Amino acid sequence: MSPRRSFEQRMNQLRVTLLTMSELVEREMTIAMDALERKDVELAQEVFGLDEQVNKLRYDNERTALLLISTQQPMARDARFILASLFMNVILERMGDKAKSVAKAIPHILQRPNLTISPELHDMADMGLQMLHDAMRAYADEDVDLALQVAARDDEVDQLYGETFFSVLARLAKTKKPDKVEAIYELMRIARDLERFADYATDLAERVDFLVTGQLAEVNVDEWEEVRASAEQEREARR
């Protein structure tokens, strides 16, 4: 097998493993939220097994990427692909940690089995999961426009988080029972986990932009089009 063919195979392995990680993370959060709604500790345990798989794939991907860098000395777009994949690799592992954090909260919530789960939490989870799915589709297709759409949705999640935070805070103010206080506090912590989950999806979108355009910066939806246009003008000028 030629060196270039071997290189391309390992690059594809990096891509496939990253997409597999994202699917596992989606399953983690979906199961965690289902377990939360059912207040099912046994179901929540499935999240921990999935998270172990995500962690293993993270280190497999890092070894592949480091091997490519050390033996092939990739340049330009190939180097950006490897670096973007490494960044995204860590982000996905952290997203899995957020799903695991939701699962860990369930035993505490069970102290008050009749506690109502705020519907906004499910809305936040659904939005975050769709953002993750679309960010990874943008990665697979190298679609910057789709990545931009993902970043734009983060404000909606932030707004939901604000609404949920104050709603849960109001519930806390109405109770003095320690076990109920702890259970309600866990809902607030879950809301924070879900908000961070969506933030990480935006981080994935930023790495897609870096992969395609070479620009590495925090995504500001209002300014992103200007950055992209400037980069395109620079490329045209060099031709």
Side-chain angles (χ1 to χ4, degrees):
M1 182 184 299
S2 69
R4 182 64 194 179
R5 178 62 177 162
S6 176
F7 175 75
E8 289 174 350
Q9 283 191 351
R10 286 200 172 97
M11 291 276 279
N12 187 59
Q13 178 185 343
L14 200 59
R15 177 186 291 105
V16 170
T17 303
L18 205 62
L19 293 170
T20 300
M21 283 179 69
S22 73
E23 291 171 1
L24 289 170
V25 171
E26 282 190 47
R27 285 175 58 195
E28 273 192 78
M29 184 57 83
T30 300
I31 292 172
M33 292 304 297
D34 192 18
L36 175 65
E37 182 62 31
R38 299 184 189 185
K39 300 185 179 72
D40 187 334
V41 175
E42 186 175 344
L43 180 60
Q45 290 300 311
E46 294 183 20
V47 175
F48 299 100
L50 289 169
D51 196 60
E52 288 180 3
Q53 294 180 51
V54 171
N55 293 343
K56 179 182 181 301
L57 289 176
R58 172 196 168 175
Y59 291 111
D60 288 347
N61 249 359
E62 287 184 356
R63 282 189 287 269
T64 299
L66 292 173
L67 181 64
L68 286 168
I69 293 169
S70 62
T71 62
Q72 302 294 330
Q73 298 181 334
M75 301 294 288
R77 192 176 184 87
D78 287 341
R80 292 206 306 272
F81 175 82
I82 295 170
L83 290 173
S85 297
L86 273 174
F87 288 140
M88 296 172 77
N89 195 48
V90 175
I91 293 167
L92 285 168
E93 189 264 341
R94 290 174 179 170
M95 294 180 84
D97 287 345
K98 292 303 173 187
K100 185 169 65 173
S101 181
V102 173
K104 284 181 176 179
I106 294 171
H108 300 283
I109 290 172
L110 273 176
Q111 293 184 51
R112 301 294 296 190
N114 296 323
L115 184 71
T116 301
I117 306 301
S118 305
E120 294 89 352
L121 294 178
H122 291 285
D123 293 338
M124 291 176 69
D126 289 344
M127 291 175 69
L129 284 166
Q130 189 61 53
M131 289 170 70
L132 167 60
H133 181 81
D134 288 346
M136 295 309 296
R137 186 154 60 89
Y139 167 75
D141 298 340
E142 298 188 5
D143 185 341
V144 177
D145 291 328
L146 180 57
L148 177 59
Q149 293 172 29
V150 171
R153 278 179 248 156
D154 191 49
D155 287 343
E156 297 176 50
V157 179
D158 289 344
Q159 182 177 346
L160 266 177
Y161 172 64
E163 294 171 2
T164 306
F165 179 86
F166 287 111
S167 172
V168 173
L169 205 62
R171 292 170 71 177
L172 276 174
K174 293 178 182 178
T175 184
K176 295 181 180 179
K177 297 179 179 179
D179 58 340
K180 190 173 183 180
V181 167
E182 182 180 356
I184 293 174
Y185 172 77
E186 289 299 324
L187 295 181
M188 189 180 295
R189 194 170 62 77
I190 288 170
R192 177 58 179 164
D193 286 334
L194 294 172
E195 191 267 342
R196 289 298 297 140
F197 189 88
D199 282 346
Y200 284 138
T202 300
D203 291 342
L204 293 174
E206 292 173 1
R207 272 46 184 191
V208 173
D209 181 49
F210 166 70
L211 166 62
V212 177
T213 69
Q215 301 289 328
L216 182 57
E218 182 177 357
V219 172
N220 182 307
V221 175
D222 295 331
E223 297 175 359
W224 201 0
E225 288 296 339
E226 294 180 15
V227 172
R228 288 178 56 205
S230 175
E232 289 173 3
Q233 289 174 2
E234 290 178 8
R235 285 195 292 272
E236 288 295 328
R238 290 196 295 268
R239 288 178 182 174

